[in-house]
Amino acid sequence: MTRTSVRPRSTVRALALGALVLGLAAGCGADSGSDEAPAVEGPGASEQEDAGTTADDDTADDDTASEGAASDDGAASDDGGEAPAAGAAALPADADLATEQLPITAEKAVEIGLGAAGGGELVQIEIDHDDDVWEWELEIVDGGRQHDLDIDATSGEVTEHDQDDDDDQDPAVDVTSPMPYAEAIEIALGKEPGRASGWDLSSDDGRIHYTIDIDRSSGDDDVEVEVDVETGEVRVDD
């Protein structure tokens, strides 16, 4: 009689369960190796990108503002004063002051003179061509002190400045009021046509007047024409 060996049922069940576990494990490993986990953008990454974009925009705005400011400064510099540009050309000796303007105007010359004197009142101003240059001559009085100044009418340089005690009581003069010098020149030329080669504003016995130097168109001798700043009265001094 032949005996057949039979494994216990519990042993067979255990083996089958182990094979199932091994199969499931192998399947999970294959899935994880073939599929890539999707990239997840968290809020931190999005905020960093936004911050970078904002910084770039701010930098561009700052650059634009800087360029605008530089442009504005340049414009102010170009239009900012009466001083002549560097290398301003001098007027020729035979310039007509009725139609041509000196690089340093009368108003600017007075400003320069008052600055050099430290203040005071203008009592006389004259412009003429002397020693190959156009030159302003000013007399300014400040607290009993008289300042005589020569100012280059092309560069604005104070070429001479003398001081002395002043006992006179000359009235102050103004190249803009009550009669601007351009108006006085026009009145003088209406009386004696020619070229305005120079002029002076001063006082005589308390009467303030312009004296316009005119080279007559007729070729006759030069003439001086006085114009009263208050009345406009004209007097010719041959």
Side-chain angles (χ1 to χ4, degrees):
M1 181 175 183
T2 304
R3 180 177 295 180
T4 303
S5 296
V6 180
R7 288 185 178 182
R9 183 179 298 175
S10 61
T11 301
V12 174
R13 184 180 298 170
L15 290 173
L17 181 61
L20 178 61
V21 171
L22 290 174
L24 291 173
C28 292
D31 291 341
S32 63
S34 60
D35 297 334
E36 293 181 1
V40 178
E41 292 185 3
S46 176
E47 291 173 0
Q48 290 177 355
E49 291 179 1
D50 292 341
T53 303
T54 302
D56 291 342
D57 291 342
D58 290 344
T59 301
D61 291 341
D62 290 343
D63 291 342
T64 302
S66 298
E67 292 174 2
S71 176
D72 291 342
D73 289 343
S77 176
D78 291 341
D79 300 332
E82 295 180 47
L91 291 185
D94 60 352
D96 187 350
L97 299 185
T99 58
E100 300 178 79
Q101 180 168 285
L102 293 158
I104 298 297
T105 64
E107 294 88 343
K108 187 62 179 178
V110 173
E111 179 184 333
I112 294 172
L114 290 174
E121 291 185 332
L122 178 72
V123 297
Q124 183 174 355
I125 179 171
E126 179 179 357
I127 179 66
D128 63 6
H129 191 270
D130 188 24
D131 295 331
D132 296 326
V133 295
W134 286 97
E135 186 175 66
W136 292 103
E137 298 179 13
L138 279 66
E139 183 178 321
I140 294 174
V141 175
D142 182 23
R145 195 73 176 167
Q146 177 176 311
H147 299 261
D148 295 315
L149 303 105
D150 292 346
I151 300 173
D152 191 304
T154 301
S155 67
E157 178 186 1
V158 177
T159 57
E160 188 172 341
H161 183 182
D162 296 328
Q163 300 183 47
D164 199 357
D165 292 334
D166 178 70
D167 297 328
D168 299 331
Q169 299 294 323
D170 294 331
V173 300
D174 189 335
V175 296
T176 63
S177 177
M179 178 183 290
Y181 57 91
E183 181 181 346
I185 292 174
E186 183 179 357
I187 292 173
L189 291 175
K191 185 70 174 180
E192 290 286 345
R195 178 179 73 90
S197 59
W199 57 266
D200 167 274
L201 175 61
S202 59
S203 63
D204 183 14
D205 295 330
R207 184 179 66 90
I208 301 174
H209 60 85
Y210 285 96
T211 300
I212 314 298
D213 299 325
I214 298 177
D215 293 347
R216 282 174 166 152
S217 302
S218 61
D220 295 338
D221 293 339
D222 300 344
V223 63
E224 294 182 347
V225 180
E226 290 187 3
V227 181
D228 190 294
V229 300
E230 293 287 351
T231 65
E233 181 184 352
V234 176
R235 185 173 72 87
V236 178
D237 185 8
D238 286 322

